[in-house]
Amino acid sequence: MKQTDWEFYKHMWQTDKGLRCCSLAAKGLFAQMLCVMHEAAPYGYLALQNGLPLDAAKLSCLTGTSKRKLCQLIAELEDAGVLSRNGQEQLFSVQMKKRYQ
């Protein structure tokens, strides 16, 4: 059975030094991405519910952010170590992968 909610660990959010160094815009995008990653398979990866990777164009539409700005914010999150990519270049949450897989 698929989980409908997950526990938000305020402490983890506030003590992640990489995330704390990110802009408010990057943190907001990351919060939206976490919601998508929670519904994805595999868990914690940026993917549609059918498992297909969610590319920048689709994520741009989903979040109402220009593709250019979205790519800048994703790069900021990757540079901070909050997001990473697998061998197929699919984004995933480092913390979600650590905690739930």
Side-chain angles (χ1 to χ4, degrees):
M1 180 164 70
K2 188 160 186 73
Q3 287 181 288
T4 57
D5 294 318
W6 84 92
E7 292 184 38
F8 178 82
Y9 294 99
K10 177 179 75 121
H11 177 75
M12 285 175 58
W13 183 275
Q14 292 176 326
T15 59
D16 185 314
K17 290 180 177 123
L19 185 60
R20 287 185 64 193
C21 291
C22 290
S23 67
L24 185 59
K27 290 175 189 174
L29 174 64
F30 185 57
Q32 288 191 340
M33 292 171 79
L34 287 174
C35 294
V36 173
M37 292 173 179
H38 174 70
E39 296 294 325
Y43 189 78
Y45 283 78
L46 192 61
L48 298 170
Q49 289 177 337
N50 61 7
L52 295 175
L54 189 58
D55 62 21
K58 290 177 186 140
L59 186 59
S60 176
C61 290
L62 185 69
T63 61
T65 307
S66 73
K67 189 175 171 186
R68 181 174 174 251
K69 182 66 176 174
L70 181 85
C71 290
Q72 290 172 347
L73 295 174
I74 288 173
E76 183 180 344
L77 291 164
E78 284 185 281
D79 289 345
V82 176
L83 288 177
S84 193
R85 294 179 189 262
N86 66 9
Q88 290 78 39
E89 292 297 305
Q90 186 177 14
L91 288 166
F92 65 89
S93 163
V94 174
Q95 284 292 341
M96 286 177 100
K97 187 173 178 186
K98 263 190 224 176
R99 190 159 198 74
Y100 297 104
Q101 290 186 346

